[in-house]
Amino acid sequence: MKRIWGITGCVALLAGCLHQGAGPNTKTVRQEIWPAPSTAKADIPSPTPPIEPRVLDPVIVQLSKQDVVMQVRQHIEREDYSRARELAESNLPRASTKNKGRLHWLAAEAALKQQDTATALAHLRTLSDMGHPLARWAQLQHATLIERSAPTVAIQLSAPLTDDWAGQRRARLIEARALVRNGDIDSAIERLRTVVDETSAKYGAASAGMPLARLLEDKGDPASKSEALALYERVIEKAPLTKVGRDAQQRYDALSASMPKSARPDALRTATRRELAKAEGYYAAKRYKPAERSFARALKQMRVG
């Protein structure tokens, strides 16, 4: 009972305070507790203009439509390759250094469209010796065009291009293919292994992994065959719904069947992994019904196992 009277007294005291606050001195009390903001204008510093980020705006580097390089490009886009090549070659003597390199590149492109490989190679050789930003790309394209007909020269051209730059992977693949044509299988395997090892595990590395697996198959020893199976399996898991994935599956099955039973991978495990890879591929492609069926089959296989 004493506690109830104590609470009642507190409520009454609070009500009395509120009643006093409603009287004529309300404004004064409010001003003492929450003074009105000053009407004087404070000195506000002028805002510092934001620093514009340094970004590449294509408009900045876009050439004028009257520029000869743009005119050549337009002719190539219209598939008028004869006019494109004629315009590029006729303007080479008076072009600036930058434009001269661009014109050599475009002239080579137009010549290739006309199936004139000799002329294209002449332009690419000239460009690769110019010290132009396109020089390395010209050397890489040169190596690409001759890797079948002149593998030794292709190796000489591509080997200096296997350092850290945008064309590195392509240069290594060209070098590896040319080494195979020259009969240097071990060196080719080493180059292809490097490409596969440096490829993120998120990807199947088919461009290097598939030819590497074929070379390892041909070696015939058990260790090489096991490595080839692992390469095929990687491609199957990362690209199960693609043509290269299906090709890898066929190669995997044929190679596995040629091995002694004791050395073959577990068939149920292999089937389950493939089904899961398909399910994930379907799901990524938003094909949910096939994904659901594949997941169900994989689950059933896991239960059996």
Side-chain angles (χ1 to χ4, degrees):
M1 182 65 70
K2 290 181 179 180
R3 181 177 297 176
I4 295 175
W5 280 111
I7 295 174
T8 306
C10 290
V11 172
L13 179 60
L14 180 60
C17 291
L18 291 174
H19 179 72
Q20 286 182 359
N25 294 328
T26 302
K27 185 174 181 180
T28 306
V29 174
R30 282 179 172 273
Q31 287 180 351
E32 289 176 356
I33 300 175
W34 302 290
S38 173
T39 57
K41 294 183 179 180
D43 293 334
I44 301 174
S46 57
T48 305
I51 300 175
E52 295 184 3
R54 299 182 65 183
V55 296
L56 175 61
D57 184 352
V59 176
I60 297 174
V61 297
Q62 185 176 7
L63 298 174
S64 166
K65 290 183 179 180
Q66 284 72 39
D67 190 278
V68 65
V69 172
M70 291 298 292
Q71 293 177 24
V72 174
R73 284 179 179 171
Q74 289 167 5
H75 285 298
I76 291 176
E77 289 172 1
R78 291 196 291 264
E79 299 183 2
D80 187 358
Y81 305 123
S82 296
R83 178 57 182 155
R85 181 174 154 189
E86 177 189 350
L87 187 61
E89 291 175 343
S90 63
N91 279 274
L92 280 171
R94 56 181 176 273
S96 65
T97 303
K98 281 188 176 181
N99 271 5
K100 189 170 291 187
R102 293 165 178 163
L103 291 173
H104 275 299
W105 180 266
L106 293 172
E109 182 180 347
L112 285 175
K113 295 292 186 181
Q114 295 177 302
Q115 308 297 318
D116 188 351
T117 306
T119 299
L121 288 174
H123 282 291
L124 292 172
R125 277 193 294 267
T126 303
L127 176 54
S128 62
D129 293 334
M130 285 179 60
H132 190 273
L134 289 171
R136 301 195 97 197
W137 291 106
Q139 187 169 330
L140 189 63
Q141 181 71 347
H142 185 180
T144 303
L145 293 173
I146 65 169
E147 66 172 274
R148 293 178 180 273
S149 59
T152 301
V153 180
I155 293 168
Q156 294 170 353
L157 291 172
S158 59
L161 303 177
T162 57
D163 55 346
D164 188 15
W165 73 297
Q168 179 196 67
R169 183 185 183 89
R170 184 176 158 193
R172 286 179 173 173
L173 293 175
I174 293 170
E175 184 185 21
R177 290 193 295 264
L179 286 167
V180 171
R181 290 188 173 90
N182 265 5
D184 192 352
I185 305 300
D186 289 338
S187 296
I189 288 174
E190 181 185 347
R191 302 299 192 280
L192 291 171
R193 273 190 184 133
T194 301
V195 176
V196 171
D197 291 343
E198 292 181 355
T199 302
S200 169
K202 297 187 297 183
Y203 306 108
S207 59
M210 291 292 284
L212 174 57
R214 295 297 297 271
L215 293 176
L216 291 168
E217 273 192 70
D218 293 339
K219 291 189 74 172
D221 61 279
S224 296
K225 287 185 176 182
S226 296
E227 185 180 352
L229 286 176
L231 290 165
Y232 288 138
E233 189 172 29
R234 177 175 176 175
V235 176
I236 294 167
E237 289 185 3
K238 302 303 180 183
L241 307 180
T242 63
K243 182 181 183 302
V244 69
R246 294 190 292 271
D247 291 344
Q249 184 170 327
Q250 292 175 358
R251 297 298 312 176
Y252 183 101
D253 292 342
L255 177 57
S256 178
S258 70
M259 298 171 68
K261 288 186 178 181
S262 59
R264 295 176 190 173
D266 181 80
L268 182 59
R269 172 185 170 276
T270 300
T272 304
R273 290 173 68 94
R274 286 183 185 178
E275 206 61 60
L276 282 172
K278 285 182 181 179
E280 291 172 357
Y282 283 131
Y283 187 82
K286 298 183 179 180
R287 297 172 62 182
Y288 300 121
K289 287 293 184 182
E292 185 179 350
R293 290 193 292 268
S294 288
F295 276 125
R297 284 192 291 267
L299 181 60
K300 183 178 179 180
Q301 290 166 348
M302 284 188 283
R303 286 172 178 169
V304 172

